C-alpha cells in the first residue's frame, strides 16, 4: 500500500509533493549483495513478502563495479555459495569475478528477487509508538525522490566493505601523479613502465602489486604494520578448510600455531623482506580485530625476486616523489591506496528500538 503525504501538511515550507510512504508487509532488506540475496531467497521460500533496497543500479555492485579484473574468490566455492543453490559443477574451486557475478545474477533470477535499484537509505529509525521501522530513502536519479518504507522488520545486509577508507597522508593532495583507491583499480595494463606506490599490504595490496608486476610496472608496496601471510592451500586443501576442520577438535590458539608452522615451512621467513608477523595468531586477530590474514597467490615469489619491493611507512608526499619514514625519498608515477573498506553503517543513521 502506498500512503501519499499531503504537501500542505508541512509547516516549514517544504515541498513534500514528491514524498510518499510505502507499507511493506514483511521485512525491508537493505543491500542487494550476496547477503541480501540470500535473505531474500530464504524469505521467498517461506512465502514471506519483502522489499530489497539497493543504492546502485545492479546486484552485487561492489563485485561488478569496484573490484579488479583478476580477482577470484579467496575461499573455495563451497564456502561461498548461497543457501538453496550451489555453484555449478563446471565452476573451478576458486571462481573468477565474472563467474561469481553470473552465479549471483542466476540466483536472483531463480528466486525472483527484484531489488529496488538506485534507492539510497538515508536513515532507519524504529518508531516505538507504532512498533515499526521507518526507513527513509532517496532516489539516486536526477529527481531525488524521497520514499519512507514502513515495516515491522529490518535486515541490514550492506556488508563489511561498502565504503572506501582513504587515509589522511601528509602531502598527498599535492602529489602530481595519478592517485586512486584500489576499488577503482581494474588492471595493471594502464600502469606499464610506471613506478607505482601501493599503500597497504593486505589482500588487495598484495594482489594489486602482483597484477602490476605481471603488467611490467614496478610496484613498491608500503607495509607500515605487521601482517599475517598464509599459503592459500596446505597439502592439497584450502587453508580455510583446514582451519575449520581443526577447530572442531582443538582450540583456536593451537590451530593458529599449526597454521603458522605450515606458513613458515611453505613460505619461509618473510621478515627479511620487510613483512613482520603480528603477535596474535591469524584466527585470533580476525576474531578480535576483524583483520583477515593475507592468502598468498603468488605475490611472495615476486617479493623474493625483487619484482615487488616492500617499503616502510610514508612520511610525506611531494609533487613527484614520496619520502618514507626511514628517510629514503623515491620518485613515483602513481599511487594506489589499498587501504581497505568499512561498513556503510557508519554512514547510515540507524536507531534501534528501545525496550
Amino acid at each position: 500500500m502506498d500512503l501519499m503525504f499531503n504537501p500542505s501538511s508541512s509547516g516549514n515550507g517544504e515541498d513534500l509533493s514528491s514524498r510518499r510512504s510505502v507499507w511493506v508487509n514483511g521485512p525491508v532488506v537493505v543491500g542487494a549483495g550476496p547477503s541480501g540475496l540470500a535473505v531474500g531467497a530464504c524469505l521467498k521460500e517461506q512465502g514471506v513478502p519483502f522489499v530489497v533496497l539497493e543504492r546502485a543500479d545492479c546486484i552485487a555492485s561492489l563485485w561488478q563495479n569496484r573490484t579488479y579484473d583478476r580477482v577470484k574468490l579467496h575461499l573455495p566455492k563451497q564456502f561461498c555459495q548461497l543457501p538453496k543453490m550451489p555453484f555449478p559443477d563446471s565452476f573451478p574451486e576458486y571462481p573468477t569475478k565474472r563467474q561469481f557475478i553470473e552465479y549471483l545474477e542466476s540466483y536472483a533470477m531463480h528466486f525472483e528477487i527484484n531489488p529496488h535499484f538506485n534507492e539510497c537509505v538515508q536513515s532507519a529509525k524504529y518508531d516505538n509508538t507504532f512498533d515499526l521501522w521507518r526507513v527513509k530513502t532517496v532516489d539516486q536519479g536526477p529527481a531525488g525522490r524521497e520514499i519512507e518504507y514502513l515495516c515491522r522488520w529490518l535486515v541490514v545486509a550492506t556488508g563489511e566493505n561498502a565504503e572506501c577508507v582513504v587515509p589522511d597522508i601528509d602531502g598527498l593532495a599535492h602529489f602530481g601523479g595519478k592517485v586512486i583507491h584500489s576499488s577503482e583499480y581494474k588492471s595493471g595494463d594502464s600502469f606499464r613502465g610506471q613506478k607505482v606506490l601501493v599503500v597497504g599490504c593486505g589482500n588487495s595490496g598484495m594482489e594489486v602489486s602482483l597484477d602490476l608486476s605481471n603488467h611490467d610496472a614496478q610496484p613498491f608496496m608500503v607495509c607500515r604494520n605487521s601482517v599475517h601471510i598464509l599459503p592459500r592451500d596446505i597439502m592439497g586443501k584450502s587453508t580455510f578448510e583446514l582451519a575449520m576442520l581443526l577447530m572442531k577438535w582443538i582450540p583456536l590458539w593451537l590451530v593458529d600455531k599449526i597454521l603458522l608452522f605450515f606458513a613458515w615451512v611453505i613460505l619461509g621467513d618473510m621478515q627479511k623482506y620487510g613483512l613482520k608477523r603480528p603477535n596474535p595468531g591469524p584466527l585470533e586477530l580476525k576474531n578480535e580485530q576483524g583483520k583477515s590474514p593475507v592468502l598468498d597467490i603468488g605475490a611472495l615469489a615476486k617479493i623474493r625476486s625483487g619484482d615487488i619491493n616492500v617499503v616502510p611507512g610514508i612520511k610525506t608526499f611531494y609533487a613527484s616523489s614520496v619520502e618514507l619514514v626511514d628517510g629514503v625519498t623515491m620518485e613515483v608515477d602513481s599511487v594506489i591506496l589499498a587501504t581497505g573498506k568499512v561498513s556503510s553503517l557508519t554512514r547510515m543513521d540507524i536507531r534501534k528500538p528501545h525496550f
Side-chain angles (χ1 to χ4, degrees):
M1 179 193 304
D2 286 7
L3 306 172
M4 297 300 296
F5 278 112
N6 184 344
S8 63
S9 64
S10 173
N12 58 7
E14 285 186 276
D15 179 12
L16 301 181
S17 58
S18 63
R19 289 189 186 179
R20 63 185 176 123
S21 286
V22 178
W23 169 252
V24 180
N25 192 29
V28 166
V29 182
V30 183
S35 295
L37 296 178
V39 171
C42 293
L43 291 170
K44 176 77 74 169
E45 189 178 60
Q46 297 298 318
V48 178
F50 61 93
V51 167
V52 177
L53 304 176
E54 170 56 51
R55 66 177 177 176
D57 60 358
C58 61
I59 66 167
S61 62
L62 295 183
W63 274 90
Q64 299 218 46
N65 303 327
R66 296 167 67 181
T67 53
Y68 32 94
D69 295 341
R70 64 158 287 126
V71 73
K72 296 182 179 180
L73 293 180
H74 285 169
L75 305 180
K77 62 183 181 181
Q78 65 266 30
F79 296 106
C80 301
Q81 65 191 22
L82 304 189
K84 319 295 182 184
M85 182 174 158
F87 280 98
D89 291 337
S90 59
F91 277 25
E93 185 176 16
Y94 297 96
T96 65
K97 168 184 174 176
R98 186 66 253 164
Q99 288 171 326
F100 188 49
I101 292 171
E102 288 175 4
Y103 166 73
L104 295 177
E105 289 175 338
S106 299
Y107 190 89
M109 187 178 300
H110 177 78
F111 290 101
E112 298 180 335
I113 301 169
N114 300 299
H116 293 200
F117 293 119
N118 297 308
E119 290 198 31
C120 183
V121 173
Q122 300 297 300
S123 66
K125 301 175 183 178
Y126 193 81
D127 189 326
N128 285 283
T129 303
F130 297 101
D131 291 328
L132 53 79
W133 283 94
R134 296 180 179 272
V135 183
K136 291 186 179 181
T137 70
V138 174
D139 191 300
Q140 298 286 74
R145 182 184 60 173
E146 295 183 2
I147 301 177
E148 182 179 56
Y149 292 90
L150 309 175
C151 60
R152 293 281 307 279
W153 303 277
L154 174 67
V155 180
V156 180
T158 51
E160 295 181 315
N161 302 305
E163 305 289 340
C164 299
V165 175
V166 179
D168 183 14
I169 304 176
D170 186 64
L172 183 59
H174 304 293
F175 177 69
K178 185 176 183 178
V179 180
I180 62 170
H181 192 273
S182 59
S183 61
E184 303 172 72
Y185 178 88
K186 297 301 179 185
S187 166
D189 192 53
S190 60
F191 295 91
R192 287 184 186 274
Q194 292 189 20
K195 293 182 178 180
V196 184
L197 190 72
V198 180
V199 184
C201 58
N203 280 295
S204 293
M206 288 281 187
E207 289 198 39
V208 167
S209 296
L210 175 61
D211 192 56
L212 287 166
S213 178
N214 288 340
H215 284 87
D216 299 321
Q218 189 176 357
F220 295 84
M221 186 176 66
V222 176
C223 187
R224 186 184 63 172
N225 300 316
S226 54
V227 58
H228 277 301
I229 304 175
L230 303 175
R232 188 177 67 172
D233 301 284
I234 296 175
M235 297 188 300
K237 279 190 175 293
S238 86
T239 300
F240 180 81
E241 183 179 4
L242 179 62
M244 295 302 101
L245 179 65
L246 291 173
M247 285 175 62
K248 293 181 179 179
W249 305 101
I250 59 178
L252 183 143
W253 67 267
L254 186 52
V255 177
D256 270 342
K257 288 191 177 297
I258 293 172
L259 293 180
L260 292 176
F261 170 75
F262 278 113
W264 179 79
V265 170
I266 296 171
L267 303 178
D269 180 16
M270 293 169 285
Q271 186 161 330
K272 61 184 178 181
Y273 301 107
L275 301 168
K276 298 180 181 179
R277 287 195 182 279
N279 288 326
L283 299 181
E284 181 185 350
L285 197 63
K286 176 64 176 175
N287 278 353
E288 293 183 354
Q289 300 181 29
K291 294 182 178 180
S292 299
V294 172
L295 297 177
D296 179 55
I297 58 170
L300 274 182
K302 293 279 191 176
I303 291 172
R304 290 193 195 96
S305 67
D307 293 317
I308 298 175
N309 298 278
V310 178
V311 298
I314 297 166
K315 183 178 180 181
T316 188
F317 277 95
Y318 302 104
S320 60
S321 61
V322 60
E323 182 181 350
L324 305 174
V325 293
D326 61 0
V328 173
T329 299
M330 51 188 288
E331 299 286 323
V332 291
D333 300 300
S334 300
V335 175
I336 298 174
L337 301 172
T339 45
K341 305 184 187 78
V342 294
S343 169
S344 61
L345 291 179
T346 56
R347 175 186 57 80
M348 291 185 198
D349 179 15
I350 298 182
R351 303 184 187 180
K352 299 178 181 178
H354 303 290
F355 298 108

